[in-house]
Amino acid sequence: MSREGDFKDVPSTLKPGLLRFLHAWLCVATGAILSDYVDEKFMLTEEFLAGYGIAQKLFYQYLVVKLTMQTYLVGWCLMECGTIAAGLSYNGIDEETGKAKHDRVQSCVIWKLETSFRVKDFLANWNISAHMWLKHYIFMRMLPNQKRGSGQAAAALTTFVVSAIWHGFYPGFFVFFIGAGLMDYQAKLAGQALSPYVEGKAPGWLIYLISWAWCYIGCGYFATAFVLLSFENFHKVYASMYYCYHLALLAAIALSLALMPSKKDKTVKTQDSGNKTKAD
């Protein structure tokens, strides 16, 4: 590596490299533990389909998606060990902490994956390189003048469809990514429609906990199609659950649209905020 420009004064990479190596083995351990209790094929058994309640099935699906994630996380963490050790991941000094950053080459941020309460944030920290490519080459290019807001829903849905095609032509991929797109759309609507009803009326930790549960339950639910792939297989599971999350998601979108403030209300609120700022 040529020690020029950003790489002129690369600090020791031993500690961050070993830390990422430790992350990989923690994911290996997590996967090994979960694999003793969870198997996606179990979801096709009569015991699961007829014997488990909807809440039990949702929790099992959550565990399945966690197990599936470990496979990818192990590979990404081991890959990043090389770029960190070589200094290629060095990204300057963090202004807040004063510590060196080694995230120039990064595929995932595990902590943010575990604590995300919106699909948007989850996907932004999963397979980061692919996410950035889809964002800049598909999503942003479909927006008029590359501006957010106008035509955003169509651009987002197209991006998720492209991602599904990228993975392959199994029906399960399309169900998963279109479902994730609808979850992202619902989250954006809910943020605008429900904020006036919950801000200052419910504790932040409760809002976060509900949002996190809603996000991860949805991820596990739609990931069932991702891991089972064929329509015949994932239809059995969803039918045994009465397509509950599909219906709940559509109902949440409809409710958010119904509660959405009108453009007139938004204009008045903006003017009031402006007048208050001037008065201050």
Side-chain angles (χ1 to χ4, degrees), residues 40-52 236-237:
E40 67 267 17
K41 294 180 181 178
F42 176 70
M43 292 190 290
L44 298 175
T45 65
E46 193 64 25
E47 181 182 353
F48 180 87
L49 295 173
Y52 278 35
K236 289 180 181 178
V237 179

Side-chain angles (χ1 to χ4, degrees), residues 176-212:
F176 173 76
F177 284 104
I178 293 175
L182 290 174
M183 287 179 63
D184 181 50
Y185 178 59
Q186 184 273 327
K188 290 183 174 71
L189 291 178
Q192 301 175 52
L194 300 180
S195 292
Y197 298 93
V198 298
E199 284 185 355
K201 300 176 183 178
W205 65 266
L206 180 60
I207 297 174
Y208 167 80
L209 186 61
I210 293 174
S211 301
W212 179 89

